[in-house]
């Protein structure tokens, strides 16, 4: 039963939608980095981690798909912590060969 709907009439591909949304934001960040706007791109990647934390907090384990790695509390804590750290580093770094 690879393509059959799961219980409740939901398609199995919908389980991967949260991960797809997070990865779409990461792609936006990578595009900004490639366009030599590395600070903005890094902030986008940090926002993707915060989005993952929010989705993990809102969705049940069965709905979270690939963003559900550990328990809900641990995932939320780690995703939000890493997201905030990435954003803080991107905002506070000054100078260097990539400054712009």
């Amino acid at each position: 039963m690879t393509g059959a709907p799961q219980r409740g009439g939901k398609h199995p591909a919908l389980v991967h939608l949260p991960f797809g949304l997070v990865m779409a934001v990461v792609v936006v960040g990578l595009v900004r980095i490639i366009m030599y706007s590395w600070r903005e791109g890094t902030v986008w990647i940090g926002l993707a981690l915060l989005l993952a934390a929010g989705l993990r907090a809102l969705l049940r384990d069965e709905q979270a798909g690939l963003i559900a790695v550990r328990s809900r509390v641990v995932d939320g804590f780690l995703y939000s912590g890493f997201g905030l750290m990435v954003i803080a580093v991107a905002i506070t770094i000054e100078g260097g060969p990539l400054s712009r």
Side-chain angles (χ1 to χ4, degrees), residues 12-66:
L14 292 178
V15 174
H16 302 296
L17 185 61
F19 181 72
L21 290 173
V22 171
M23 290 309 295
V25 176
V26 169
V27 167
V28 170
L30 292 174
V31 167
R32 292 302 298 154
I33 290 171
I34 290 170
M35 296 172 64
Y36 297 105
S37 182
W38 69 270
R39 280 184 206 270
E40 184 182 334
T42 306
V43 170
W44 276 102
I45 292 173
L47 291 174
L49 286 164
L50 293 177
L51 174 64
L55 289 172
R56 185 66 178 109
L58 292 175
L59 299 174
R60 294 189 318 259
D61 290 343
E62 302 85 33
Q63 295 173 322
L66 293 174

Side-chain angles (χ1 to χ4, degrees), residues 76-96:
F77 178 73
L78 291 175
Y79 285 144
S80 59
F82 284 134
L84 291 173
M85 286 191 318
V86 166
I87 291 171
V89 168
I91 290 173
T92 58
I93 288 181
E94 294 184 19

